[in-house]
Amino acid sequence: MSKAAGAPDRSGGPDHEFIIIGAGICGLYALHRLLEMGRDVIALEAHPGLGGTWYKNRYPGCRFDSESYTYGYSFSPELLQEWDWSEHFAAQPETLRYLNHVADRFDLRPHIRFDSVVRSAVFDDGAGGWTLELADGRRLTCRFLMTALGLLSAPVKPRIPGIERFQGTSFHTYDWPEGLDLTGKRVGVIGTGSTGVQIIAELAGQVAELDVFQLKPNWCAPLNNSPITREEMAHIKAGYDEIFARCAETPGGFIHGPDRRPFHEVSREERLALWEKLYASPGFGIWLGNFRDILLDEDANREFSDFIADKIRKRVHDPVTAEKLIPKDHGFGVHRVPLESGYYEAYNHDSVRLVDLEETPIVEINETGVATSAGQFDLDVIVYATGFDAITGSYDRIDFRGRDGVRLRDKWADGPTTYLGALVSGFPNLVMLGGPHSASVATNFPRAIETSVDWAAHLFAHVMALGYVRIDCDPDAETEWTRHIQDLYQRQLLRKAKSWFTGYNPNIPGQDRTRYLIYTGGAPRYRRELDEVAADGYRGLVFSSPDEVPHLTSSEGVTS
Ligand code: NA7
């Protein structure tokens, strides 16, 4: 069954067999897979262009911290051979160009509806599908709904009194104004996560004054980026099979896999030698290629954190500033590790000031800038690098309603409940891609979403082959999976962290507590769990044929 791109079916069935929400890296791949299967599918994209995260994050310094050549899609050997990456860690414009190239190469664009902000998605039991309402009043119906909403697509500004009074230019990093010229400006950056760290390193010395408002420091490590030469790219292209095979076997889906030697059995000299090597190496090796015990054992973690603290002390000239940049409340690697290029050296510029908000909190934002308990900082521009309502925020912003009008937002009030990070009981025909409880966080995102999309594509092939019209999941399977997610956290030091990995966000009422949002068992195990469920006849899923769904006539059923 296939229709012309986007042409609504007026014959009594839904407008489309499938709708995917989102045309970022995940939505594009899902769209491609379903088109390849000959299905009638469109993707709805909120923004005027495709690329999701890479469309929206345009701040100075925005770039990969995954190796470029492990971030590309792996599904097409031709695509792999024709695309050249210019740097080991490509900057945002290059990634966006890549995604546009993919969309054109596989003719995806005609199947994407841009400027389509979904406000609500309601499951209609009678029609056996979903009705979507868009911000501009359009209504669209589909049999199956897939979400590719992005993990970090709901930006959050801080809750600071007077924030609306500021008369200068201010914005969240997700909404960086096009063409903004910061030359000669007094700029304040609030927030020092991965985003703030990239911006601060880029702006230091480029603007008249840079004030960094830091709540708590993060452990950062060098990215060690460099250009990819023509010879290197040829070598990479020749070795893609091995690269992806390597990614498939590491917990994070990167080329970096943990050193599993017991930390306490390795001599101090050997540990230091490894750490020096990792500190000078590109990418996440320092986090994911380190001793596994560092993320599990407090003593091992402390020793390595001390090593990094000394590096910070060496790189920052002013010892008082250096101490403020060293985290005291958590060890290395239990929060997401920002990779940096000259971040610590930024503080050696006379024009850069670090404002420690633990010592001198922000009292208010006013017409001319930021007032802390230490005094007023007059600014021309305020950049809110304060992060996102991570993982579930993009779901909460759409009014999803399942059977009997149950709201997903209410069902997830205490944290998400899912089966396999893909299904939610009572929300039939909704398949989440790379959503909460999947292995798409703390892993190489494209590798993870290929897992999710491929699994969903096989599931739908099964559904089509057997003529089912409804997929739901067993509430017990959902409870068990959700408990499994919580159990996995208990093995890791990250369970104690207060960061978006644990669903913590002090700027959102009700989120100043731990929530279990991500699958922390590693990408290979996640893939295995999905495969086992499929091999076991989709254990935990409940399928219905047209005759089991009373309001559906067989002519509205799905055909293969
Ligand atoms: P993050 O990593 O959530 O960082 C947000 C930062 O903003 C972090 O330093 C917060 O401090 C800080 N923050 C939050 N609220 C405030 C207030 N009220 N005042 C001052 N500072 C505040 O978001 P990013 O955008 O940097 O990174 C998100 C992901 O994008 C990243 O992990 C990559 O995967 C890509 P805190 O840590 O809470 O002390």
Side-chain angles (χ1 to χ4, degrees), residues 59 65 152 158-160 172-173 190-197 213-218 335-336 357 362 385-388 498 500-501 504-507:
Y59 59 81
D65 41 23
L152 299 162
R159 290 190 291 169
I160 300 176
H172 188 279
T173 53
I190 301 183
T192 52
S194 302
T195 306
V197 163
F213 297 90
Q214 173 189 272
L215 207 51
K216 291 200 180 89
N218 273 300
H335 288 188
R336 206 280 197 191
L357 299 181
I362 294 178
T386 44
F388 297 84
K498 290 182 168 181
W500 66 268
F501 275 16
Y504 178 87
N505 192 323
N507 298 311

Side-chain angles (χ1 to χ4, degrees), residues 34 42 50 66 83 145 175-176 193 285 289 308 325 327 337 373 376 379 387 394 404 481 496 498 524 538:
L34 287 171
I42 60 164
L50 57 84
S66 315
W83 185 263
L145 181 61
D175 296 306
W176 195 277
I308 297 288
L325 289 166
V337 176
S373 62
Q376 174 77 12
L379 299 165
S394 49
D404 306 321
W481 181 261
K496 297 182 178 173
K498 290 182 168 181
Y538 292 99

